[in-house]
Amino acid sequence: MKIHFLGIGGIGMSAQAIHEHLLGNDVSGTDPYSTERTKYLENVGIRVFKKHLPENVDNADLIVRTPAVPDTNPEINKAREKNIPILSRLEHHIKILKPYEKIGITGTDGKTTTTSMMAHVLLKLGENPTVFLGSTHPMLEYKNYRKGGNISVFEMDESQPGFENYSPDFLIITNIRYDHIENFRNLQHYNNCFEKSCKNAKICISNSENNLIRNAKTFGLENADYKILSIEKMGFRQKIEISTPHKTKKFVLNVPGVHNALNALSVIALCFEMGYEKDAVLDTFKDFVLPGRRFQISFNNEKITVVDDYSHTPIEIKSLILTAKEVFKGKKINIIFQPHRFSRLKRDWKEFAKALSIADRTYITEVYSAFEHDKKISAKVIAEEIGATFVQNKEDILNIEIEPNNVYIFAGAGDIIKVSQKFRKKIGGLKV
């Protein structure tokens, strides 16, 4: 079967393309943006076109499109002329997951980290999961994908209606914070999608802070079936005591942050409820490492530290800064934040301002549009609210004063990582 992916370089699309390629299908795709993923796809034998042209879809049996591809795209038009079936990324993902026993991870924040934790635990327990990850991780054979057996661990993207149709056998809902509410008919429609997903699962684990589901087992800091009792900070590591329906337990988590302790607790809750041996589950977290751009230390010497992070919602930004203050005690925390989507900025700019004000120094670049066209708001509004430095041209970040005993965090889901790379190159040879 010949399958053509539009927007193949996306982290989710590339994993699905690799999956189809490894099944023996003839896979190709188009993406005008050259990234690490597009280069990787070419290295494994998948043809990637750099420009959207009608002839790219010749002889294709199926088209898979990302939501960012408009209906006016020439490849979409050609596919319709030739009556080639067209599926969205979500529809295709649901289709290819049907043969598997499914473990889904959804929610506003923490999906990728929790998915990688779940995969890590299962691998350590001797299982052979097929994994779709929304980032890269060294434990996965293809970085964002692992070809395994009949158990699949995957992220359920809650940003679009239809995610409830995944119908996972086992489900974790990390939290519900209405980040993409504009894509749904109303608040009730959004909540109903989560409720349906949980209702159809054999076991559903939900955050007690905003649990909507009557039949879910809950995890959280209080009023939960699985609850954190105490956390002892040990640099990057945490010693955590938890209350469970199966007595009080302790475990060591190899990464920092209360939010990551909660992510781990959700995985523990699901594994316990699935019947895995409890102490064996807890023991797996002592060598877990975070996926790419999740509190990733990309440069470190005795004077300067650079951290790359994908955080792009207010609660994620707040957790990121608080974690940095925990880990890098005595150092000044600088955050360089690139807001992601005008719709999110318009809705949450005041919450972003509160979160960013926790840092010692804040730099804010203009919005990464993510293909949105409504530019009626600027990220400058956050800078003015908290007295931060607004950087119209993100490349000008390279000109900021660099000081010793400082941590520089590059945060956002857009292309701020490219500025971080240049920044690291600059300071690599800089004496401070």
Side-chain angles (χ1 to χ4, degrees), residues 259 293-296 307-312 314-326 328 333 335-337 409-412:
H259 60 297
R293 290 188 70 189
R294 271 67 181 178
F295 209 78
Q296 180 179 2
V307 176
D308 290 312
D309 198 276
Y310 195 74
S311 293
H312 58 283
I315 190 65
E316 289 175 342
I317 293 295
K318 180 179 178 181
S319 296
L320 170 64
I321 298 171
L322 290 176
T323 300
K325 284 181 172 287
E326 271 179 25
F328 303 110
I333 306 300
I335 185 162
I336 300 98
F337 175 56
I409 304 174
F410 288 79

Side-chain angles (χ1 to χ4, degrees), residues 135-315:
S135 181
T136 58
H137 199 286
M139 72 176 167
L140 302 182
E141 182 182 2
Y142 295 91
K143 304 305 180 185
N144 63 340
Y145 174 77
R146 181 183 189 274
K147 187 177 187 298
N150 62 357
I151 299 174
S152 181
V153 180
F154 60 97
E155 294 181 43
M156 291 167 51
D157 179 2
E158 87 299 350
S159 66
Q160 299 287 336
F163 74 89
E164 70 279 8
N165 295 324
Y166 275 102
S167 298
D169 300 284
F170 307 98
L171 176 66
I172 291 174
I173 301 174
T174 58
N175 52 41
I176 303 172
R177 302 196 191 278
Y178 311 113
D179 185 42
H180 298 282
I181 193 67
E182 65 275 0
N183 295 333
F184 295 78
R185 292 193 300 272
N186 49 43
L187 182 62
Q188 189 59 53
H189 179 209
Y190 186 70
N191 290 340
N192 285 345
C193 292
F194 284 100
E195 290 173 353
K196 181 179 177 181
S197 297
C198 199
K199 183 177 180 181
N200 292 338
K202 296 175 185 175
I203 299 172
C204 179
I205 307 296
S206 180
N207 192 319
S208 63
E209 180 185 344
N210 41 36
N211 179 44
L212 304 170
I213 320 299
R214 292 181 181 177
N215 65 321
K217 289 286 185 180
T218 58
F219 72 97
L221 296 173
E222 54 186 25
N223 301 322
D225 299 305
Y226 291 80
K227 182 170 63 175
I228 291 178
L229 298 177
S230 66
I231 301 177
E232 180 185 346
K233 308 293 183 181
M234 303 181 294
F236 266 70
R237 294 163 72 83
Q238 306 181 76
K239 188 173 183 180
I240 303 166
E241 183 176 19
I242 60 175
S243 170
T244 82
H246 314 277
K247 300 181 181 178
T248 299
K249 298 285 185 179
K250 292 182 180 180
F251 71 102
V252 172
L253 179 62
N254 193 41
V255 296
V258 174
H259 60 297
N260 282 321
L262 286 168
N263 291 335
L265 183 60
S266 72
V267 172
I268 290 167
L270 180 55
C271 288
F272 279 19
E273 295 296 319
M274 290 176 71
Y276 286 103
E277 204 282 314
K278 298 172 184 57
D279 289 338
V281 169
L282 296 172
D283 191 55
T284 64
F285 289 94
K286 65 186 180 184
D287 60 354
F288 170 76
V289 297
L290 289 166
R293 290 188 70 189
R294 271 67 181 178
F295 209 78
Q296 180 179 2
I297 297 178
S298 53
F299 181 93
N300 189 43
N301 61 23
E302 68 278 7
K303 295 180 180 179
I304 293 176
T305 301
V306 178
V307 176
D308 290 312
D309 198 276
Y310 195 74
S311 293
H312 58 283
T313 68
I315 190 65

Side-chain angles (χ1 to χ4, degrees), residues 15-38:
Q16 290 169 219
I18 292 172
H19 175 82
E20 293 284 22
H21 173 71
L22 295 177
L23 289 178
N25 291 306
D26 183 0
V27 176
S28 63
T30 305
D31 203 307
Y33 300 99
S34 179
T35 65
E36 179 274 333
R37 281 290 89 189
T38 57

Side-chain angles (χ1 to χ4, degrees), residues 2 5 9 60 71 75 87 99 116 154 170 214 227 235 238 299 334 342-343 354 384 388 390-391 405:
K2 182 173 174 54
F5 290 79
D71 288 339
E75 292 176 77
L87 294 179
S116 63
F154 60 97
F170 307 98
R214 292 181 181 177
K227 182 170 63 175
Q238 306 181 76
F299 181 93
N334 302 261
F342 289 101
S343 57
K354 290 177 184 176
E384 292 175 344
F390 178 65
V391 185
N405 205 37

